[in-house]
Amino acid sequence: MSNEYPALPPQQPGRDGEAAHRPQYPHPPYPHPQVPAGMPAAVRAAQVVIFALAGLGVVHSALVGAFSGAEAAGRAFAPYLTAWVLLVLAFLFPSAGPGVRVAALVLGSVQILLALGGAAQGTPFGILPLAGAVAVVVLLGQGSAGDWFRRPRTR
């Protein structure tokens, strides 16, 4: 076994007669961010929280509707309205760009405000949509989530 390194390819002279020391690229050597191999745990967790939050809204309003009527069911569902739009966005997380992340962060913030209003009015389980929305905003606000949504995608 030899400790020698393989010979370097011959250098082409540069413009000023010296050997060119930089490799030739088919495009300029811009720094490329490391592309994540799969969806980061923070993005996947946010997706799961959104799925659970939307399901919880349906179950909660159905139970309230069964025991208290349609009007009460509508009031119980109000804090979960943005969770349904977030649900649509959550299905786009695997292939979407940074606009979906920004929209999800904004809707999560609106969900926090709606849930605070519902909790202040004494809505049963009003704290659950608040906790879910806070979790979504925190998870999508992480750097790994930003890297995921900014990654280069092939068409």
Side-chain angles (χ1 to χ4, degrees):
M1 180 168 209
S2 173
N3 288 337
E4 294 180 21
Y5 293 106
L8 294 174
Q11 298 282 329
Q12 298 293 327
R15 289 185 184 169
D16 56 0
E18 295 181 17
H21 294 288
R22 64 179 186 270
Q24 298 298 318
Y25 294 99
H27 53 79
Y30 298 116
H32 294 289
Q34 186 166 351
V35 178
M39 190 182 300
V43 178
R44 176 68 68 191
Q47 197 177 35
V48 169
V49 168
I50 291 169
F51 293 156
L53 194 59
L56 180 67
V58 170
V59 170
H60 180 235
S61 59
L63 288 174
V64 170
F67 292 110
S68 301
E71 186 178 334
R75 279 194 308 263
F77 189 72
Y80 298 95
L81 285 176
T82 56
W84 280 91
V85 181
L86 280 169
L87 179 68
V88 172
L89 294 177
F91 282 112
L92 300 175
F93 284 0
S95 62
V100 169
R101 176 179 175 244
V102 170
L105 285 169
V106 168
L107 284 170
S109 300
V110 170
Q111 176 73 24
I112 290 171
L113 294 175
L114 288 176
L116 280 173
Q121 292 179 354
T123 303
F125 303 108
I127 196 77
L128 294 176
L130 174 64
V134 168
V136 167
V137 169
V138 168
L139 289 167
L140 290 180
Q142 292 183 2
S144 62
D147 293 341
W148 172 255
F149 287 102
R150 284 189 303 264
R151 76 194 183 286
R153 286 169 295 283
T154 58
R155 294 185 185 253

